Amino acid sequence: MNYSVNWFKYRLPNSTEIISGGSQRLLKGFAKGFVIAPFSDPDDGLMTIPFDICNPDSEFKPETSYLPTTTSREDFENEVRTIINSLGSSRGKTVAARVIRVDSNINLDATFDNLCSSYPEAFVFLFSTPTTGTWIGASPELLLRKEGEFISTMALAGTRPYSGQAKEWDEKNRDEQAMVTEFIMDSLMRHCGAVTAGKTYTKRAGQIEHICTPISAYMPPSGIADDFEESYHSRLRKLLTEISPTPALCGSDRMHSLELIRNCEKFSREMYGGFCGPDDIEGITAFFVNLRSAKVSPDAVSVFAGCGVTVLSDPDEEWIETEMKSKTIINKLKISEE
């Protein structure tokens, strides 16, 4: 048996190929393999599961680790009100999050397969290490993809139920998504050239939909100005650290939002809101935001969901939004028959 204490499994959007691997090593920083970064301090917390073993034949079982309990509606709505009060009349946002815990033994492989068939356009992922615990998700949001010298990403924000009909978005959602677009464009311009925003469109993600703006850029193999000799990987890491967590997962003022989140939420987001994905596995480097995700232990699963809060937010509506997002995972969980 090819036993590996650290393992991963993923399927890229619009692909049918499932790639899995693992290692007895967990490396700090970038390496060829599956890269994982937490929500808070992604630079210091960046780690890689090396691609030492391809398609490990050991059975995927979750780590035994701490899972947060369900967030009460009162606690969540108090967080939303605190954020609204902190914004005053300013243009800005902070993301509020909550946890829904399900006390059941989850079949990881069956749940992974169900997510793949249900969400063909999502990045479906499953990874486990003693450091991070076990996480599974179906992310609709690309953080960064590198193909040669070209970089692609997206600004994804705003949420409403999927209707199948073309209609205008309201002011709150348009403004929220514009903040994310501006932030990502500005960040890319400090590290890349030829930064271009594509046509904004409505992107479906299961039974909900978002506003999405594709963004592309060019990162030459050699640095410019004072970082000319800096390695490509080093500059890529700086870019990732600057854009993650984006305002779509944290807030328009990152430091202020992080402080609010630490003070209001009675749980740690851990890997939720960070990013994960392959680095140079079969020639692909692509990192996706860890959202529409859950942390799994042998006898329970904690599903994470968040929403962008602005001065136009209503606590009841934000609660409903997180209900919709959490069902992306909860409705696809497969209970183990053991």
Side-chain angles (χ1 to χ4, degrees), residues 32-130:
K32 179 178 180 178
F34 193 85
V35 173
I36 306 164
F39 169 74
S40 181
D41 198 4
D43 184 39
D44 186 61
L46 187 72
M47 63 195 85
T48 302
I49 304 173
F51 199 32
D52 291 342
I53 300 171
C54 179
N55 298 319
D57 59 14
S58 57
E59 186 178 356
F60 289 165
K61 289 188 177 294
E63 286 281 333
T64 300
S65 59
Y66 169 77
L67 294 185
T69 57
T70 298
T71 306
S72 71
R73 183 161 187 163
E74 180 183 8
D75 284 344
F76 177 78
E77 293 190 351
N78 283 341
E79 179 182 7
V80 173
R81 293 188 186 94
T82 298
I83 293 170
I84 293 172
N85 292 336
S86 75
L87 292 170
S89 59
S90 65
R91 177 182 181 264
K93 65 171 282 189
T94 292
V95 174
R98 69 183 180 102
V99 173
I100 303 94
R101 177 165 167 154
V102 179
D103 290 314
S104 295
N105 185 351
I106 304 302
N107 184 314
L108 286 175
D109 288 316
T111 299
F112 181 92
D113 291 342
N114 199 24
L115 292 173
C116 285
S117 61
S118 300
Y119 308 120
E121 296 184 353
F123 174 68
V124 180
F125 62 90
L126 172 59
F127 65 83
S128 182
T129 78

XYZ file of all heavy atoms in Angstrom, residues 32-130:
771
model
N 6.714 21.681 -6.281
C 5.842 20.969 -7.207
C 4.906 20.095 -6.392
O 5.346 19.230 -5.635
C 6.656 20.117 -8.161
C 5.808 19.318 -9.146
C 6.647 18.528 -10.110
C 5.766 17.739 -11.079
N 6.559 16.979 -12.067
N 3.636 20.324 -6.536
C 2.675 19.559 -5.766
C 1.399 20.335 -5.548
O 1.057 21.229 -6.330
N 0.691 20.012 -4.474
C -0.582 20.653 -4.165
C -0.341 21.719 -3.102
O 0.047 21.423 -1.978
C -1.592 19.622 -3.663
C -3.003 20.128 -3.615
C -3.805 20.090 -4.741
C -3.531 20.636 -2.444
C -5.111 20.560 -4.702
C -4.830 21.106 -2.381
C -5.628 21.068 -3.527
N -0.575 22.976 -3.483
C -0.286 24.119 -2.621
C -1.530 24.474 -1.793
O -2.657 24.453 -2.297
C 0.159 25.330 -3.460
C 0.310 26.581 -2.600
C 1.475 25.016 -4.178
N -1.309 24.786 -0.519
C -2.388 25.143 0.403
C -1.979 26.400 1.162
O -0.841 26.510 1.626
C -2.642 24.019 1.425
C -2.883 22.683 0.727
C -3.814 24.361 2.338
C -2.757 21.489 1.657
N -2.882 27.355 1.298
C -2.613 28.560 2.092
C -3.838 28.897 2.928
O -4.968 28.786 2.452
C -2.261 29.737 1.193
N -3.648 29.308 4.179
C -4.781 29.637 5.055
C -5.358 31.015 4.746
O -4.791 31.791 3.973
C -4.143 29.618 6.444
C -2.730 30.056 6.198
C -2.354 29.471 4.861
N -6.492 31.310 5.383
C -7.127 32.614 5.212
C -6.243 33.734 5.749
O -6.015 34.740 5.084
C -8.480 32.609 5.937
C -9.114 33.969 6.069
C -9.691 34.587 4.986
C -9.123 34.627 7.296
C -10.267 35.850 5.101
C -9.703 35.869 7.435
C -10.277 36.484 6.334
N -5.768 33.570 6.954
C -4.961 34.598 7.599
C -3.480 34.314 7.396
O -3.027 33.185 7.571
C -5.289 34.641 9.097
O -4.559 35.638 9.757
N -2.726 35.329 6.998
C -1.285 35.230 6.787
C -0.924 34.120 5.808
O -0.190 33.183 6.141
C -0.554 35.000 8.117
C 0.934 35.334 8.017
O 1.371 35.808 6.948
O 1.650 35.107 9.006
N -1.402 34.220 4.547
C -1.121 33.163 3.576
C 0.357 33.036 3.232
O 0.803 31.955 2.840
C -1.937 33.594 2.341
C -2.128 35.068 2.513
C -2.241 35.289 3.981
N 1.136 34.096 3.381
C 2.559 34.008 3.052
C 3.276 33.097 4.039
O 3.951 32.138 3.655
C 3.189 35.401 3.065
C 4.647 35.372 2.638
O 4.979 34.623 1.710
O 5.460 36.092 3.248
N 3.112 33.348 5.333
C 3.797 32.542 6.341
C 3.212 31.134 6.421
O 3.919 30.172 6.713
C 3.702 33.222 7.707
C 4.516 32.503 8.766
O 5.743 32.398 8.600
O 3.919 32.035 9.755
N 1.915 30.997 6.129
C 1.258 29.697 6.255
C 1.261 28.859 4.996
O 0.727 27.737 4.990
N 1.850 29.367 3.905
C 1.870 28.642 2.633
C 2.598 27.306 2.793
O 3.682 27.247 3.376
C 2.558 29.488 1.569
C 2.511 28.957 0.134
C 1.112 29.096 -0.437
C 3.509 29.712 -0.735
N 2.010 26.227 2.277
C 2.616 24.897 2.385
C 2.285 24.093 1.140
O 1.335 24.410 0.409
C 2.120 24.185 3.645
C 0.641 23.904 3.666
S -0.007 23.468 5.317
C -0.294 25.112 5.990
N 3.055 23.044 0.897
C 2.860 22.204 -0.280
C 2.937 20.734 0.084
O 3.846 20.303 0.791
C 3.924 22.496 -1.351
O 3.876 23.869 -1.728
C 3.707 21.638 -2.592
N 1.969 19.956 -0.414
C 2.073 18.502 -0.381
C 2.802 18.096 -1.656
O 2.261 18.247 -2.752
C 0.690 17.821 -0.336
C -0.125 18.319 0.856
C 0.853 16.306 -0.287
C -1.566 17.804 0.868
N 4.048 17.613 -1.563
C 4.778 17.256 -2.787
C 4.072 16.138 -3.560
O 3.352 15.318 -2.981
C 6.138 16.779 -2.261
C 6.240 17.339 -0.880
C 4.841 17.391 -0.348
N 4.308 16.117 -4.865
C 3.704 15.107 -5.718
C 4.619 13.886 -5.764
O 5.104 13.471 -6.809
C 3.511 15.695 -7.119
C 2.517 14.953 -7.968
C 1.422 14.319 -7.423
C 2.685 14.901 -9.340
C 0.502 13.649 -8.222
C 1.782 14.244 -10.154
C 0.688 13.611 -9.599
N 4.862 13.299 -4.571
C 5.775 12.154 -4.465
C 5.130 10.859 -4.929
O 5.791 9.990 -5.498
C 6.253 11.984 -3.017
C 7.184 13.100 -2.570
O 7.735 13.796 -3.437
O 7.344 13.293 -1.348
N 3.844 10.713 -4.645
C 3.118 9.506 -4.993
C 1.933 9.895 -5.865
O 1.125 10.742 -5.490
C 2.612 8.767 -3.738
C 3.783 8.370 -2.838
C 1.797 7.531 -4.125
C 3.345 7.836 -1.495
N 1.846 9.298 -7.034
C 0.721 9.552 -7.934
C -0.359 8.501 -7.686
O -0.058 7.302 -7.607
C 1.193 9.500 -9.384
S -0.115 9.763 -10.596
N -1.596 8.954 -7.542
C -2.731 8.058 -7.320
C -2.476 7.064 -6.188
O -2.431 5.847 -6.395
C -3.055 7.287 -8.611
C -3.449 8.206 -9.735
O -4.173 9.170 -9.533
N -2.963 7.920 -10.930
N -2.282 7.561 -4.962
C -2.055 6.647 -3.843
C -3.237 5.696 -3.675
O -4.390 6.096 -3.816
C -1.916 7.590 -2.640
C -2.595 8.843 -3.056
C -2.382 8.967 -4.533
N -2.945 4.448 -3.394
C -4.032 3.474 -3.318
C -4.556 3.270 -1.906
O -5.385 2.407 -1.659
C -3.595 2.126 -3.905
C -2.380 1.531 -3.189
O -2.045 2.006 -2.095
O -1.784 0.594 -3.745
N -4.061 4.068 -0.964
C -4.613 3.998 0.382
C -5.987 4.660 0.411
O -6.262 5.581 -0.340
C -3.678 4.683 1.380
O -3.442 6.015 0.998
N -6.857 4.184 1.277
C -8.205 4.724 1.365
C -8.168 6.108 2.007
O -7.506 6.319 3.008
C -9.088 3.795 2.186
C -10.548 4.207 2.220
C -11.397 3.222 3.006
O -10.835 2.211 3.445
O -12.590 3.485 3.180
N -8.885 7.050 1.407
C -8.901 8.411 1.932
C -9.813 8.476 3.158
O -11.017 8.262 3.052
C -9.395 9.390 0.869
C -8.424 9.612 -0.247
C -8.835 10.205 -1.427
C -7.096 9.248 -0.120
C -7.940 10.415 -2.458
C -6.197 9.458 -1.148
C -6.620 10.043 -2.321
N -9.224 8.760 4.296
C -9.991 8.909 5.535
C -9.634 10.246 6.168
O -8.491 10.690 6.094
C -9.687 7.761 6.502
C -10.255 6.418 6.052
C -10.092 5.371 7.118
C -10.719 4.052 6.704
N -12.184 4.148 6.575
N -10.606 10.917 6.795
C -10.337 12.237 7.361
C -9.477 12.189 8.612
O -9.497 11.206 9.356
C -11.732 12.773 7.683
C -12.560 11.550 7.896
C -12.010 10.518 6.954
N -8.724 13.266 8.804
C -7.959 13.443 10.034
C -8.919 13.681 11.209
O -9.988 14.275 11.045
C -7.037 14.657 9.911
C -5.827 14.439 9.031
C -4.736 13.678 9.745
O -4.669 13.756 10.988
O -3.963 12.997 9.064
N -8.528 13.237 12.377
C -9.263 13.587 13.585
C -8.758 14.937 14.071
O -7.608 15.078 14.472
C -9.058 12.537 14.688
O -9.526 11.273 14.217
C -9.814 12.919 15.948
N -9.583 15.954 13.955
C -9.166 17.300 14.345
C -10.372 18.092 14.832
O -11.524 17.701 14.626
C -8.492 18.023 13.173
O -9.368 18.116 12.071
N -10.105 19.227 15.447
C -11.167 20.065 16.018
C -12.049 20.640 14.913
O -11.564 21.130 13.891
C -10.560 21.206 16.822
C -11.569 22.256 17.215
C -12.469 22.039 18.262
C -11.651 23.453 16.506
C -13.417 22.987 18.598
C -12.592 24.413 16.838
C -13.474 24.183 17.883
O -14.417 25.131 18.210
N -13.360 20.575 15.139
C -14.319 21.203 14.234
C -15.129 22.239 14.997
O -15.624 21.962 16.092
C -15.288 20.175 13.643
C -14.730 19.103 12.708
C -15.882 18.275 12.145
C -13.929 19.720 11.588
N -15.282 23.448 14.451
C -16.104 24.456 15.138
C -17.573 24.069 15.125
O -18.036 23.322 14.256
C -15.851 25.723 14.310
C -15.405 25.245 12.972
C -14.668 23.960 13.211
N -18.306 24.575 16.100
C -19.734 24.292 16.215
C -20.541 25.284 15.386
O -20.015 26.284 14.877
C -20.180 24.362 17.680
O -19.857 25.667 18.197
C -19.477 23.318 18.513
N -21.824 25.015 15.257
C -22.713 25.855 14.456
C -22.811 27.266 15.027
O -22.978 27.454 16.235
C -24.119 25.223 14.391
O -24.025 23.950 13.740
C -25.090 26.120 13.638
N -22.714 28.253 14.154
C -22.865 29.663 14.539
C -24.347 29.976 14.711
O -25.164 29.675 13.826
C -22.276 30.589 13.456
O -20.929 30.208 13.184
C -22.328 32.045 13.901
N -24.712 30.579 15.826
C -26.116 30.938 16.036
C -26.502 32.100 15.134
O -25.655 32.910 14.714
C -26.360 31.322 17.494
O -25.765 32.576 17.790
N -27.781 32.189 14.835
C -28.261 33.311 14.014
C -28.015 34.636 14.724
O -27.660 35.629 14.097
C -29.753 33.133 13.699
C -30.303 34.226 12.785
C -31.591 33.822 12.125
N -32.010 34.816 11.133
C -32.906 34.585 10.194
N -33.483 33.391 10.100
N -33.237 35.538 9.335
N -28.188 34.641 16.027
C -27.958 35.870 16.796
C -26.507 36.336 16.659
O -26.253 37.529 16.418
C -28.302 35.649 18.265
C -28.083 36.887 19.135
C -28.363 36.626 20.604
O -28.590 35.454 20.983
O -28.352 37.594 21.394
N -25.559 35.415 16.820
C -24.150 35.793 16.707
C -23.816 36.301 15.304
O -23.089 37.288 15.141
C -23.250 34.594 17.031
C -23.175 34.307 18.522
O -23.558 35.190 19.315
O -22.744 33.192 18.889
N -24.357 35.627 14.283
C -24.064 36.046 12.914
C -24.642 37.424 12.623
O -23.970 38.297 12.064
C -24.621 35.022 11.917
C -24.427 35.419 10.484
C -23.190 35.272 9.865
C -25.473 35.958 9.756
C -22.998 35.652 8.538
C -25.298 36.347 8.427
C -24.058 36.191 7.820
N -25.892 37.643 12.978
C -26.520 38.930 12.677
C -25.897 40.051 13.504
O -25.826 41.201 13.045
C -28.029 38.839 12.885
C -28.690 37.913 11.870
C -30.206 37.977 11.884
O -30.770 38.623 12.794
O -30.828 37.376 10.984
N -25.413 39.750 14.703
C -24.680 40.758 15.471
C -23.390 41.152 14.760
O -23.000 42.328 14.760
C -24.360 40.225 16.872
C -25.553 40.254 17.810
O -26.526 40.968 17.567
N -25.491 39.477 18.872
N -22.716 40.159 14.144
C -21.509 40.472 13.381
C -21.834 41.375 12.201
O -21.132 42.367 11.938
C -20.832 39.196 12.886
C -19.581 39.481 12.050
C -18.906 38.238 11.512
O -19.453 37.128 11.666
O -17.822 38.381 10.924
N -22.905 41.067 11.498
C -23.309 41.889 10.348
C -23.592 43.319 10.798
O -23.134 44.289 10.165
C -24.537 41.276 9.642
C -25.063 42.228 8.565
C -24.182 39.927 9.023
N -24.306 43.496 11.881
C -24.626 44.845 12.370
C -23.358 45.578 12.811
O -23.215 46.782 12.569
C -25.620 44.760 13.529
C -26.995 44.254 13.125
C -27.988 44.376 14.281
N -29.265 43.769 13.932
C -29.598 42.510 14.219
N -28.747 41.747 14.900
N -30.770 42.036 13.866
N -22.442 44.868 13.457
C -21.173 45.487 13.869
C -20.406 45.991 12.660
O -19.841 47.103 12.673
C -20.303 44.474 14.643
O -21.003 44.076 15.824
C -18.968 45.091 15.031
N -20.369 45.193 11.596
C -19.671 45.600 10.374
C -20.342 46.822 9.754
O -19.670 47.788 9.357
C -19.627 44.432 9.369
C -18.737 43.309 9.902
C -19.110 44.912 8.007
C -18.824 42.024 9.108
N -21.662 46.801 9.668
C -22.394 47.948 9.084
C -22.100 49.215 9.881
O -21.827 50.277 9.303
C -23.913 47.662 9.054
C -24.225 46.522 8.072
C -24.682 48.928 8.658
C -25.662 46.043 8.130
N -22.123 49.123 11.203
C -21.849 50.291 12.050
C -20.421 50.778 11.871
O -20.152 51.991 11.904
C -22.103 49.952 13.516
C -23.575 49.723 13.826
O -24.443 50.218 13.111
N -23.856 48.966 14.873
N -19.475 49.854 11.680
C -18.073 50.251 11.519
C -17.836 50.967 10.192
O -16.928 51.795 10.077
C -17.163 49.024 11.599
O -17.224 48.248 10.426
N -18.649 50.658 9.191
C -18.485 51.286 7.878
C -19.027 52.710 7.871
O -18.564 53.542 7.083
C -19.198 50.451 6.802
C -18.592 49.078 6.508
C -19.525 48.269 5.605
C -17.221 49.218 5.864
N -20.002 53.003 8.722
C -20.595 54.333 8.743
C -21.232 54.644 7.402
O -22.071 53.899 6.911
N -20.787 55.729 6.790
C -21.314 56.108 5.473
C -20.289 55.861 4.370
O -20.459 56.315 3.244
C -21.720 57.591 5.472
O -20.595 58.406 5.789
N -19.217 55.130 4.700
C -18.132 54.945 3.735
C -18.457 53.845 2.734
O -19.280 52.970 2.978
C -16.835 54.581 4.466
O -16.963 53.327 5.099
N -17.771 53.905 1.595
C -17.871 52.844 0.600
C -16.848 51.777 0.965
O -15.658 52.011 0.932
C -17.576 53.384 -0.797
C -17.587 52.321 -1.909
C -17.242 52.945 -3.244
N -17.273 51.943 -4.310
C -16.223 51.293 -4.771
N -15.025 51.535 -4.231
N -16.338 50.423 -5.748
N -17.306 50.630 1.337
C -16.402 49.564 1.736
C -17.191 48.327 2.060
O -18.429 48.311 2.011
N -16.493 47.242 2.391
C -17.161 45.997 2.740
C -16.261 45.158 3.623
O -15.032 45.304 3.617
C -17.530 45.191 1.485
C -16.333 44.703 0.685
C -16.719 43.729 -0.421
C -16.992 42.343 0.111
N -17.150 41.328 -0.949
N -16.870 44.304 4.400
C -16.180 43.266 5.160
C -17.010 41.994 5.037
O -18.243 42.058 5.005
C -16.023 43.662 6.635
O -15.108 44.749 6.742
C -15.492 42.496 7.468
N -16.335 40.859 4.963
C -17.038 39.590 4.792
C -17.307 38.947 6.156
O -16.379 38.738 6.946
C -16.227 38.635 3.908
C -16.886 37.259 3.851
C -16.085 39.219 2.504
N -18.563 38.667 6.413
C -18.970 37.937 7.615
C -19.130 36.463 7.256
O -19.579 36.129 6.153
C -20.288 38.490 8.151
N -18.758 35.576 8.177
C -18.856 34.144 7.900
C -19.491 33.418 9.071
O -19.537 33.927 10.192
C -17.479 33.556 7.602
N -19.974 32.230 8.806
C -20.526 31.388 9.854
C -20.273 29.921 9.527
O -19.850 29.575 8.426
C -22.016 31.655 10.057
C -22.929 31.214 8.921
C -24.363 31.616 9.250
N -25.339 31.246 8.246
C -26.162 30.201 8.349
N -26.095 29.400 9.415
N -27.052 29.936 7.414
N -20.549 29.062 10.500
C -20.319 27.628 10.391
C -21.623 26.882 10.608
O -22.429 27.252 11.471
C -19.279 27.156 11.435
C -19.156 25.638 11.444
C -17.927 27.794 11.159
N -21.846 25.837 9.807
C -22.963 24.918 10.007
C -22.362 23.528 10.216
O -21.737 22.976 9.296
C -23.926 24.889 8.811
C -24.464 26.296 8.529
C -25.078 23.918 9.074
C -23.684 27.061 7.502
N -22.512 22.985 11.404
C -21.928 21.669 11.708
C -22.966 20.567 11.526
O -24.104 20.691 11.993
C -21.374 21.644 13.122
C -20.819 20.279 13.531
C -19.968 20.357 14.761
N -19.700 19.018 15.312
C -18.635 18.719 16.043
N -17.722 19.643 16.289
N -18.473 17.511 16.519
N -22.553 19.502 10.853
C -23.406 18.328 10.634
C -22.717 17.139 11.294
O -21.596 16.778 10.925
C -23.602 18.054 9.130
C -24.469 16.814 8.928
C -24.206 19.262 8.428
N -23.372 16.534 12.290
C -22.769 15.420 13.012
C -23.117 14.107 12.318
O -24.098 13.436 12.669
C -23.241 15.414 14.468
C -22.666 16.583 15.249
O -21.457 16.831 15.133
O -23.437 17.256 15.964
N -22.303 13.756 11.307
C -22.477 12.521 10.556
C -21.122 12.046 10.062
O -20.186 12.844 9.912
C -23.419 12.727 9.360
O -24.730 13.037 9.777
N -21.028 10.767 9.795
C -19.817 10.177 9.227
C -19.894 10.308 7.712
O -20.734 9.677 7.069
C -19.728 8.702 9.655
C -18.425 8.060 9.200
O -17.669 8.643 8.436
N -18.187 6.856 9.668
N -19.026 11.126 7.127
C -19.096 11.447 5.708
C -18.203 10.524 4.886
O -17.046 10.280 5.243
C -18.687 12.913 5.468
C -19.549 13.862 6.313
C -18.794 13.266 3.992
C -21.022 13.748 6.060
N -18.746 10.014 3.789
C -17.961 9.239 2.831
C -17.272 10.233 1.894
O -17.915 10.851 1.040
C -18.864 8.291 2.042
C -18.088 7.389 1.104
O -17.203 7.835 0.385
N -18.443 6.112 1.110
N -15.965 10.410 2.069
C -15.232 11.433 1.329
C -15.229 11.175 -0.177
O -15.471 12.086 -0.972
C -13.796 11.520 1.838
C -13.586 12.179 3.194
C -12.118 12.081 3.611
C -14.033 13.630 3.184
N -14.932 9.947 -0.585
C -14.852 9.650 -2.013
C -16.202 9.841 -2.703
O -16.284 10.408 -3.792
C -14.343 8.227 -2.234
C -12.865 8.091 -1.919
O -12.094 8.978 -2.319
O -12.485 7.111 -1.261
N -17.265 9.374 -2.059
C -18.600 9.516 -2.648
C -19.025 10.975 -2.711
O -19.650 11.416 -3.688
C -19.612 8.693 -1.858
N -18.690 11.748 -1.668
C -19.014 13.180 -1.670
C -18.232 13.902 -2.749
O -18.778 14.756 -3.471
C -18.725 13.793 -0.286
O -19.544 13.153 0.699
C -19.008 15.286 -0.282
N -16.948 13.577 -2.888
C -16.116 14.178 -3.935
C -16.721 13.907 -5.310
O -16.862 14.820 -6.132
C -14.700 13.624 -3.856
C -13.751 14.190 -4.878
C -12.981 15.301 -4.577
C -13.621 13.616 -6.136
C -12.098 15.834 -5.513
C -12.755 14.132 -7.073
C -11.987 15.244 -6.767
N -17.089 12.658 -5.573
C -17.672 12.309 -6.869
C -18.989 13.041 -7.100
O -19.295 13.470 -8.227
C -17.897 10.799 -6.950
C -16.598 10.008 -7.009
O -15.545 10.618 -7.324
O -16.634 8.789 -6.733
N -19.783 13.204 -6.032
C -21.060 13.901 -6.156
C -20.843 15.381 -6.480
O -21.574 15.967 -7.295
C -21.854 13.758 -4.862
C -23.329 14.049 -5.048
O -23.868 13.944 -6.146
N -24.001 14.412 -3.970
N -19.827 16.004 -5.867
C -19.513 17.397 -6.172
C -19.051 17.537 -7.622
O -19.414 18.497 -8.313
C -18.436 17.913 -5.223
C -18.844 18.071 -3.752
C -17.627 18.438 -2.905
C -19.927 19.130 -3.594
N -18.248 16.582 -8.099
C -17.764 16.638 -9.478
C -18.921 16.580 -10.473
O -18.969 17.352 -11.444
C -16.798 15.487 -9.751
S -15.158 15.681 -9.018
N -19.856 15.669 -10.258
C -20.976 15.527 -11.193
C -21.970 16.680 -11.079
O -22.600 17.063 -12.063
C -21.685 14.195 -10.959
O -22.206 14.122 -9.641
N -22.085 17.255 -9.878
C -23.063 18.333 -9.657
C -22.568 19.687 -10.131
O -23.357 20.532 -10.564
C -23.418 18.423 -8.169
O -23.981 17.220 -7.699
N -21.237 19.915 -10.044
C -20.679 21.233 -10.363
C -19.522 21.096 -11.350
O -18.352 21.210 -10.982
C -20.210 21.923 -9.085
C -21.255 21.973 -7.998
C -21.034 21.378 -6.753
C -22.487 22.591 -8.216
C -22.001 21.414 -5.753
C -23.462 22.626 -7.225
C -23.213 22.040 -6.002
O -24.172 22.072 -5.023
N -19.829 20.836 -12.623
C -18.765 20.617 -13.618
C -17.864 21.823 -13.844
O -16.712 21.656 -14.261
C -19.539 20.258 -14.890
C -20.926 20.789 -14.666
C -21.180 20.674 -13.207
N -18.335 23.036 -13.562
C -17.529 24.232 -13.792
C -16.743 24.661 -12.564
O -16.034 25.665 -12.596
C -18.419 25.386 -14.268
C -19.083 25.122 -15.616
C -19.872 26.311 -16.125
O -20.019 27.293 -15.367
O -20.349 26.255 -17.267
N -16.825 23.899 -11.477
C -16.124 24.246 -10.239
C -14.794 23.509 -10.144
O -14.564 22.495 -10.811
C -16.987 23.913 -9.033
N -13.911 24.029 -9.295
C -12.700 23.319 -8.902
C -13.054 22.484 -7.685
O -13.304 23.015 -6.602
C -11.586 24.314 -8.566
C -10.335 23.674 -8.022
C -9.538 22.880 -8.817
C -9.949 23.873 -6.698
C -8.381 22.287 -8.315
C -8.790 23.297 -6.186
C -8.012 22.498 -7.004
N -13.107 21.175 -7.859
C -13.474 20.281 -6.764
C -12.188 19.767 -6.125
O -11.305 19.254 -6.814
C -14.339 19.115 -7.262
C -14.720 18.198 -6.106
C -15.608 19.653 -7.938
N -12.076 19.925 -4.816
C -10.830 19.589 -4.138
C -11.077 18.818 -2.850
O -12.135 18.922 -2.214
C -10.014 20.849 -3.835
C -10.694 21.826 -2.905
C -10.523 21.756 -1.529
C -11.507 22.828 -3.423
C -11.148 22.658 -0.680
C -12.137 23.741 -2.578
C -11.953 23.657 -1.203
N -10.068 18.042 -2.482
C -10.071 17.282 -1.239
C -8.614 17.141 -0.820
O -7.785 16.656 -1.585
C -10.696 15.903 -1.479
C -10.653 14.850 -0.374
C -11.345 15.348 0.883
C -11.307 13.559 -0.859
N -8.278 17.636 0.364
C -6.901 17.482 0.842
C -6.898 17.236 2.345
O -7.843 17.595 3.052
C -6.036 18.699 0.486
C -6.423 19.995 1.142
C -6.003 20.310 2.435
C -7.192 20.928 0.458
C -6.349 21.515 3.036
C -7.552 22.137 1.048
C -7.121 22.439 2.340
N -5.811 16.617 2.801
C -5.721 16.282 4.212
C -4.266 16.251 4.654
O -3.417 15.657 3.983
C -6.366 14.912 4.463
O -6.329 14.577 5.832
N -3.981 16.925 5.766
C -2.675 16.859 6.418
C -2.908 16.941 7.928
O -3.938 17.470 8.373
C -1.742 18.028 6.017
O -2.123 19.206 6.727
C -1.783 18.301 4.516
N -1.983 16.451 8.742
C -2.125 16.621 10.190
C -2.140 18.092 10.604
O -2.709 18.445 11.639
C -0.900 15.901 10.747
C -0.530 14.892 9.707
C -0.842 15.577 8.396
